Amino acid sequence: MSDQATLPGKTPLTGPPGTRQSVALLALSVPVALAGLLVAPGFVSVLLLSAAGAIGLVGGYLFHADRQRKRETAGAEAALQVIAGHDPAPVFLTGPDGVVAAQNPSAAARFGDRRGQTMVEALAGLLISAPAVVFRTETALTEADRTAETVFTRTGHVRLSAHRVADGALWRLDEVGPAGEWPGEGIGLPMLVAAPNGSVIWINDSMRSLIGQRPRSLAAVFGDQKIVPGARVELKGAEDRVFATIFELRGARGRREIYALPGAGIPAGGIGPERLFDVIPVPALLVDQDGGVQASNAAAQALLLLTPEETGVPLGHLVEGPGRVVRDWVRDILDERVPNRTEVVRALRRQDDCTVRISLGRFNTDGGPQAVAILQDATEVQSLQQQFAQSQKMQAIGELAGGVAHDFNNLLTAITGHCDLLLLRHDPGDQNYADLVQIHQNANRAASLVGQLLAFSRKQAMKPELLDLRDTMAELTHLLNRLVGERITLQLSQDPGLQPIRADRRLLDQVLMNLVVNARDAMPEGGPIVIRTRMARLESGLMKGSATLPAGTYVVIEVSDSGVGIPPDRVGRIFEPFYTTKKVGEGTGLGLSMAYGIVKQSGGYIFAESEVGAGTTFSIYFPAHDWPAESDERPPAARSAAPGGQARQERGDTGVVLLVEDEAPVRAFASRALRLKGFSVVEAENGEEALDILEDADLQVDVFVTDMIMPGKDGPAWVREALQQRPDVGIVFMSGYAQDAYGKFADDIPNAVFLAKPFSLADLSDTVRDQLPA
């Protein structure tokens, strides 16, 4: 008897070796029994006969169990063939133990023989997290008769459904394809996707509603009717007779995309391309072998600004952008030299920036191959992609700028600090004194540039407060008038009903000064600069440039000039660091990037609108606030200062400082500066070394002075550990980053202040003295 089970239409699949094992045991029992009969009666004879009987009993049980299993498997397979033998989707039948008892031909063709395996093993090569999916499904079946979910695969996603059957379950996998792959998703035109063998892979909701079923093959929809583009056919499966005109596109890997246009009164011989395109609800073109448009529907005409009378116009005159000549692209599709894929192009006749996704489908006619072009307005999607790319770009530049600023601040701390030490040893009349002053002044200028980098990266220290722009702008106007010169007139127009904004007064002044200076430089012949303030209430989101303003109430500041303007191809880059439209030596390219960073860090938005030869307008949107102002606007350092610092300063007392800094030049300057001011200094290179030093219980430390960011344990981490044993020590955190790093990592540490790099000798000594305990 064969020990194999066969699926209809498939090659025999080897079953478990239960029959071979049982037969072997029965055969083994015979010689053992004969040996027991041949030996002399006694203990050995009884032992052999007993062993033979036991072996024969086990073999008989295994034989019976194997036959029972085969009958159950055969019954399960027979039942499954009736239920899903011709189903194009893979179907598995599992028993009460969760093991696959049978599978239909589609499952065998897709996965191979999985009988005897768990569903986790059967689906492991398809699903990304097969154990979790199978567990969820089996758990759901304990509470309901059926369950279904769409799960991700390694190439897309599938619809996994399971039904409880007696003590087991019936599992089915429907191919959905890669997310967003099907061109018929979200459109009202009924369509389906079929494999080259005629099995239906996917249908959209419109087709499912039209025919009232989910067909497994094209024959279930069209019967024996030929699928010819433009032909009128009867669709099967619907309650009423439905006639439709169809057309077909060829997709990747031989996939067939079939669209059906339902309607009555269509001539039995089909309709021509022009009539067909007129009633298709999606933009469509008929393109000939030379790339000329032979027919178009109303939707395509509206999208591409094409008139109905225009025939033969080259597609390349309507769109551009697939990376090559449009005519050659169409020719390659028609000659089947390249696989069809969706391309993103730009509509040439549109005044606005209109992006179109276009897919070509080849079909044969008596005059040779032609193509149907299905179009989709992708302007909004493309705009979102560009916004995301721009935000990622600006974020990356900001992170780079912040890192560069941190490193420069460490260098500048060492330069300005040692310069301070040298100035202490030279009198103003010394011949080197002027040179040292120049070094110090230029180092301060460098520190200012670094501050602009930090502003762009939104990492600089801010002291926000509620501001009334009516007062702020009036006071700032006096300074701006001196900046613009005699040939420029400054005009200020204010809304009397302005609400307050929350911003750093000093930084806001810097933003406005930069914008006014840029406006002045854009008008070499002179002219007016107009500054306006107004309220703006947005009932819904407003899209400006590459950003979307949420609904709400805003205070708007506009700075306008009538200068040379900025070319359109440069407007999108003006907020990037070091990008400037000025001549070499006339600008650093940091002014607008700094303004951008300050506005964004304040929760606002900044936009530029410009026309070459007409001028430029910068608009800043700040969220509006309400009075009264917050009661506590003091900076963190002032709120956190140790209570005895002022008293110690008046008495001139000093103390012991533990200085922790990984940058050797900065540590050398800081230790010398503190010793010059009378402090005792203990140095450590990192947090771990500082904690080792503090293990000495006899060491009295009054103030910790530590860098924020260091290899190993950073400043806040080692300070928290040290405070457990020394809770009364004052703390000074230093950093080349801005104060927001302090608030993020060390806001919970008591008696701590922040000292931004670069700092002077006086800044360091005064801050440390303020932190001395009473």
Side-chain angles (χ1 to χ4, degrees):
M1 194 175 198
S2 172
D3 186 39
Q4 293 180 338
T6 305
L7 288 174
K10 301 293 178 184
T11 57
L13 301 172
T14 302
T19 301
R20 293 195 298 272
Q21 294 172 350
S22 60
V23 170
L25 288 173
L26 290 172
L28 177 60
S29 67
V30 174
V32 174
L34 289 175
L37 294 173
L38 292 176
V39 301
F43 175 76
V44 175
S45 175
V46 173
L47 183 62
L48 289 173
L49 289 173
S50 299
I55 294 172
L57 184 62
V58 173
Y61 173 77
L62 289 177
F63 184 82
H64 173 76
D66 184 62
R67 294 300 92 196
Q68 180 67 20
R69 181 191 61 77
K70 286 186 176 295
R71 285 194 296 271
E72 292 176 354
T73 300
E77 288 180 349
L80 187 62
Q81 296 312 313
V82 173
I83 297 172
H86 299 286
D87 194 331
V91 179
F92 297 93
L93 181 63
T94 57
D97 55 357
V99 173
V100 176
Q103 60 189 112
N104 73 345
S106 297
R110 174 74 181 275
F111 298 97
D113 184 16
R114 297 294 180 177
R115 292 174 299 170
Q117 298 182 357
T118 64
M119 285 302 295
V120 172
E121 295 171 318
L123 302 179
L126 174 68
L127 304 184
I128 296 174
S129 55
V133 172
V134 173
F135 175 78
R136 285 198 305 269
T137 303
E138 291 177 340
T139 302
L141 287 179
T142 63
E143 302 173 355
D145 290 334
R146 67 180 301 275
T147 182
E149 69 171 307
T150 300
V151 295
F152 286 97
T153 70
R154 303 183 189 282
T155 58
H157 52 277
V158 297
R159 184 73 172 171
L160 173 65
S161 57
H163 300 257
R164 192 162 55 192
V165 179
D167 293 331
L170 190 71
W171 304 66
R172 188 173 192 275
L173 291 136
D174 288 289
E175 290 286 350
V176 179
E181 175 183 4
W182 310 125
E185 281 187 291
I187 68 171
L189 186 66
M191 67 87 61
L192 59 82
V193 180
N197 62 1
S199 61
V200 175
I201 300 174
W202 180 82
I203 67 172
N204 69 355
D205 291 338
S206 299
M207 178 66 85
R208 186 179 290 106
S209 299
L210 181 65
I211 63 178
Q213 62 163 323
R214 189 210 181 281
R216 296 168 182 158
S217 64
L218 292 177
V221 181
F222 302 103
D224 57 358
Q225 301 172 95
K226 291 185 178 181
I227 302 176
V228 178
R232 177 172 176 259
V233 298
E234 180 181 354
L235 304 181
K236 293 188 174 184
E239 295 180 0
D240 300 323
R241 297 179 65 192
V242 176
F243 291 91
T245 302
I246 62 172
F247 64 94
E248 178 181 350
L249 301 179
R250 291 286 180 172
R253 301 181 297 277
R255 194 175 68 196
R256 304 173 68 183
E257 300 169 4
I258 300 173
Y259 295 79
L261 179 66
I266 300 175
I271 61 176
E274 297 82 358
R275 174 73 186 280
L276 173 64
F277 285 176
D278 282 341
V279 290
I280 292 177
V282 295
L285 305 171
L286 181 66
V287 184
D288 61 23
Q289 302 176 49
D290 297 322
V293 176
Q294 296 302 317
S296 61
N297 66 354
Q301 293 160 11
L303 180 62
L304 301 179
L305 301 184
L306 186 66
T307 61
E309 295 76 19
E310 289 183 278
T311 58
V313 57
L315 182 61
H317 290 181
L318 301 175
V319 298
E320 70 170 1
R324 56 184 308 194
V325 178
V326 173
R327 183 179 59 188
D328 294 343
W329 172 51
V330 173
R331 186 73 259 177
D332 285 345
I333 295 293
L334 296 181
D335 292 344
E336 299 182 296
R337 285 193 290 265
V338 297
N340 180 29
R341 65 180 184 184
T342 301
E343 297 285 356
V344 178
V345 298
R346 186 171 67 88
L348 292 176
R349 293 185 175 182
R350 297 280 293 262
Q351 295 297 320
D352 56 341
D353 190 8
C354 179
T355 303
V356 177
R357 295 181 65 183
I358 180 170
S359 178
L360 295 180
R362 179 185 184 276
F363 67 95
N364 290 315
T365 66
D366 294 339
Q370 292 190 356
V372 174
I374 302 297
L375 306 142
Q376 178 186 2
D377 188 345
T379 304
E380 184 175 352
V381 175
Q382 195 74 4
S383 175
L384 290 174
Q385 291 175 345
Q386 291 174 353
Q387 289 180 40
F388 178 73
Q390 178 69 7
S391 67
Q392 292 292 95
K393 174 183 177 181
M394 296 296 275
Q395 181 179 356
I397 295 174
E399 292 296 328
L400 175 62
V404 169
H406 169 264
D407 292 340
F408 266 98
N409 276 334
N410 277 325
L411 296 173
L412 291 171
T413 300
I415 293 171
T416 57
H418 284 92
C419 190
D420 284 341
L421 294 174
L422 287 172
L423 285 170
L424 291 176
R425 301 203 301 267
H426 290 76
D427 295 326
D430 194 303
Q431 61 178 356
N432 295 325
Y433 189 85
D435 296 334
L436 292 173
V437 170
Q438 281 295 318
I439 294 173
H440 200 278
Q441 290 177 350
N442 282 281
N444 288 335
R445 289 183 60 194
S448 176
L449 288 176
V450 172
Q452 293 182 28
L453 280 176
L454 283 172
F456 171 75
S457 63
R458 306 176 220 174
K459 296 180 183 294
Q460 69 172 352
M462 293 192 70
K463 298 177 182 178
E465 57 182 315
L466 286 177
L467 300 176
D468 187 338
L469 284 181
R470 292 169 296 186
D471 298 333
T472 303
M473 298 302 298
E475 294 173 7
L476 183 61
T477 302
H478 300 294
L479 174 61
L480 295 178
N481 275 319
R482 290 197 296 270
L483 280 176
V484 297
E486 297 179 354
R487 306 182 68 179
I488 303 292
T489 58
L490 191 65
Q491 302 174 9
L492 178 62
S493 173
Q494 299 227 65
D495 185 340
L498 284 182
Q499 292 180 234
I501 66 171
R502 185 171 176 81
D504 185 307
R505 168 68 182 271
R506 175 180 59 87
L507 296 178
L508 178 61
D509 289 351
Q510 199 170 359
V511 169
L512 293 173
M513 282 190 287
N514 274 314
L515 295 181
V516 169
V517 167
N518 276 346
R520 178 201 66 188
D521 294 344
M523 298 186 295
E525 302 300 323
I529 298 176
V530 181
I531 302 177
R532 299 184 186 91
T533 61
R534 61 182 176 87
M535 296 296 300
R537 293 173 177 84
L538 304 181
E539 301 298 333
S540 59
L542 174 65
M543 186 172 179
K544 287 179 69 70
S546 60
T548 300
L549 279 76
T553 304
Y554 295 87
V555 176
V556 185
I557 306 173
E558 295 176 339
V559 179
S560 303
D561 65 66
S562 56
V564 296
I566 306 171
D569 59 333
R570 297 186 179 185
V571 172
R573 299 191 59 191
I574 59 175
F575 294 118
E576 297 178 12
F578 306 111
Y579 182 82
T580 178
T581 58
K582 299 179 181 178
K583 297 178 181 179
V584 176
E586 293 185 0
T588 62
L590 286 172
L592 289 178
S593 64
M594 179 210 64
Y596 173 88
I598 292 173
V599 171
K600 296 298 287 184
Q601 194 175 359
S602 303
Y605 302 83
I606 182 169
F607 307 100
E609 298 178 2
S610 185
E611 182 179 347
V612 175
T616 303
T617 297
F618 284 90
S619 302
I620 305 174
Y621 286 72
F622 284 111
H625 287 258
D626 295 317
W627 298 107
E630 296 182 11
S631 60
D632 188 2
E633 295 288 347
R634 290 175 296 162
R639 293 196 297 267
S640 305
Q646 184 64 31
R648 292 290 295 265
Q649 183 176 5
E650 292 173 358
R651 296 198 309 263
D653 297 340
T654 59
V656 179
V657 176
L658 176 57
L659 175 64
V660 186
E661 169 63 64
D662 60 313
E663 291 284 342
V666 177
R667 189 170 68 250
F669 153 66
S671 63
R672 287 183 58 190
L674 291 172
R675 288 190 179 100
L676 279 174
K677 293 299 182 178
F679 294 97
S680 298
V681 180
V682 180
E683 299 181 35
E685 187 176 354
N686 50 57
E688 289 81 1
E689 184 180 349
L691 292 174
D692 291 341
I693 292 172
L694 292 175
E695 290 181 0
D696 183 359
D698 295 331
L699 177 63
Q700 176 66 35
V701 177
D702 298 303
V703 180
F704 297 151
V705 178
T706 177
D707 194 16
M708 288 281 295
I709 310 298
M710 296 181 294
K713 288 184 184 294
D714 59 26
W718 81 260
V719 166
R720 287 190 184 95
E721 290 188 34
L723 287 178
Q724 295 176 10
Q725 303 298 325
R726 300 170 184 259
D728 298 325
V729 177
I731 302 148
V732 177
F733 285 113
M734 309 178 293
S735 180
Y737 289 113
Q739 190 164 350
D740 68 339
Y742 166 81
K744 187 182 300 181
F745 298 109
D747 214 15
D748 61 326
I749 298 177
N751 299 331
V753 295
F754 179 80
L755 181 61
K757 297 177 181 177
F759 48 78
S760 67
L761 186 153
D763 292 336
L764 176 62
S765 60
D766 290 345
T767 304
V768 171
R769 183 172 287 109
D770 287 342
Q771 289 301 101
L772 290 172

